[in-house]
Amino acid sequence: MVVIEARSADEWQEVVSNCFVPLLCQASAESYSARMQHASVGPAVSVSLLETEGTRVQRTARLAARAQSDDLHMSFQLGSTGRVSQGGRSVAVRPGSLTVYATDLPYEQDYSRSAQHQLIIQVSRRALSLPRRMIDDACRRMAVPALPAGRVLQSFASRIVAAEEEGSPAVAAAAADLAATLVRSSFATGTVVPRTSIGLLETVRDCVRHNFTLPDLTVDSLAARHFISRRRLYQLFDEVGESPSEWIRVCRLEHAAGLLAEAGRMAKHTIGEIAQMSGFSDAATFARAFRRKYGMNPSDYRSPGRSRTKAPAPWRADPASCTKRQVPLSGRS
């Protein structure tokens, strides 16, 4: 991963042209600064985290005609607002928006408002291994609806760009796989799962992080939800030294510890109620699991005046951080 800074639109134009494709950049304010964290994961995939102070970007027809790649950009808008235009279509972007557009066609980006923040995955069409018509249709729509597949891709890409090393072939394959899963999911009515082991593990973990409060979330239901056997599910987690049951339990316990630490809002709730809020079937099971993890009873953990560090909520994607314990970027694809 490399970090690049620019103090003018001309400097930024050189940066983005080298890291992405040749572009024209114009600053929208006299005072200008920009910063990029860029990770080349492989010959077909790169991930970049951008922060800029107001820029207009143009991929002209002349520049697009000289394109030597078939790359797509999947751009997650993390801060501020703007607009992306291509092929006669224009979509507004705001925090949470995801757009997909082709780099071998002209496009414009109006990011003239300050405090811009984007996470961009550049991936080759060939690496997606999808029908050309599906990719073209995705680019024509540009805006991608909020989907779990997008959340998983954003999470994975955020950790890639935060890592202190270049990605491995397995990580590159998983990134392309998750990008392809996002495109396929945007046209599907049912569940679409990744094809690589790393991508599938990412998706399963994300599912648990967002559904652990459901008491009927079990190893068997998790496997069925992702169209794999119980044995295959354990194999996925075994590759990173974990188990699916442990992952479910950790998410629930960390959530419960966070609730217990909220002395004000949660004071009126019993230990049994907090156990149910965290996905445990009964208070006794919760108490045993809590003692094993934290070395004390839940009631002692919430005691007023006890010195403690508030337990973190179950891990979620954060472009500014990387939790190595939770999601190692290694393994077989």
Side-chain angles (χ1 to χ4, degrees):
M1 185 267 289
V2 297
V3 179
I4 310 168
E5 296 184 346
R7 294 297 176 185
S8 70
D10 288 341
E11 289 183 6
W12 187 240
Q13 178 173 301
E14 182 177 357
V15 169
V16 295
S17 294
N18 289 334
C19 292
F20 300 136
V21 292
L23 297 166
L24 300 180
C25 298
Q26 179 182 0
S28 57
E30 292 184 7
S31 177
Y32 185 83
S33 65
R35 184 175 187 270
M36 178 192 293
Q37 293 173 250
H38 179 78
S40 178
V41 193
V45 183
S46 68
V47 182
S48 304
L49 188 63
L50 283 64
E51 298 173 75
T52 61
E53 286 300 323
T55 314
R56 292 186 177 88
V57 176
Q58 187 178 24
R59 175 78 160 153
T60 65
R62 182 179 179 182
L63 290 174
R66 299 176 181 175
Q68 298 180 354
S69 67
D70 63 347
D71 294 330
L72 301 183
H73 277 184
M74 295 184 171
S75 178
F76 293 90
Q77 186 76 7
L78 306 178
S80 195
T81 60
R83 183 167 291 277
V84 180
S85 305
Q86 184 171 65
R89 179 168 169 71
S90 180
V91 295
V93 295
R94 56 186 59 83
S97 297
L98 168 60
T99 51
V100 176
Y101 49 93
T103 63
D104 57 356
L105 296 174
Y107 64 83
E108 295 183 6
Q109 298 168 331
D110 181 359
Y111 293 142
S112 54
R113 296 182 68 90
S114 62
Q116 292 291 328
H117 198 186
Q118 290 97 22
L119 176 69
I120 297 178
I121 297 96
Q122 180 167 294
V123 57
S124 166
R125 287 172 179 256
R126 291 185 297 274
L128 295 177
S129 299
L130 294 175
R132 182 177 182 86
R133 181 175 179 179
M134 178 180 289
I135 296 175
D136 289 344
D137 286 348
C139 292
R140 276 192 287 270
R141 292 193 315 189
M142 293 185 65
V144 179
L147 297 166
R151 187 175 64 216
V152 176
L153 176 61
Q154 181 181 348
S155 167
F156 192 67
S158 297
R159 292 195 310 283
I160 288 175
V161 80
E164 296 297 330
E165 57 184 347
E166 297 295 292
S168 67
V171 171
D177 180 31
L178 290 173
T181 302
L182 173 60
V183 175
R184 289 190 290 135
S185 296
S186 68
F187 291 100
T189 56
T191 302
V192 177
V193 297
R195 294 163 178 164
T196 60
S197 293
I198 295 177
L200 185 54
L201 177 60
E202 288 290 309
T203 301
V204 171
R205 279 172 156 167
D206 178 82
C207 177
V208 174
R209 284 194 293 266
H210 290 83
N211 294 281
F212 64 85
T213 58
L214 301 175
D216 59 351
L217 180 67
T218 64
V219 172
D220 289 335
S221 68
L222 197 59
R225 184 167 183 163
H226 294 89
F227 310 109
I228 56 177
S229 67
R230 178 187 176 96
R231 179 181 178 183
R232 175 60 175 147
L233 183 60
Y234 270 95
Q235 286 176 339
L236 290 174
F237 277 86
D238 186 58
E239 291 179 6
V240 292
E242 296 176 354
S243 75
S245 55
E246 176 189 5
W247 180 247
I248 294 172
R249 184 168 57 252
V250 166
C251 287
R252 287 173 172 169
L253 287 172
E254 290 185 349
H255 179 71
L259 294 180
L260 290 169
E262 295 186 41
R265 184 175 70 91
M266 302 304 299
K268 64 180 180 180
H269 292 283
T270 67
I271 298 298
E273 289 172 336
I274 288 177
Q276 289 185 335
M277 292 177 189
S278 304
F280 287 92
S281 58
D282 60 82
T285 301
F286 166 58
R288 285 194 299 271
F290 196 92
R291 282 194 299 270
R292 285 195 297 269
K293 180 171 176 62
Y294 294 103
M296 64 182 70
N297 291 321
S299 56
D300 295 329
Y301 188 90
R302 80 185 311 184
S303 296
R306 186 179 70 78
S307 176
R308 64 168 173 255
T309 300
K310 183 176 177 180
W315 183 87
R316 286 182 170 82
D318 180 355
S321 66
C322 175
T323 306
K324 294 181 180 178
R325 178 184 70 83
Q326 299 280 23
V327 189
L329 296 179
S330 61
R332 296 189 294 274
S333 65

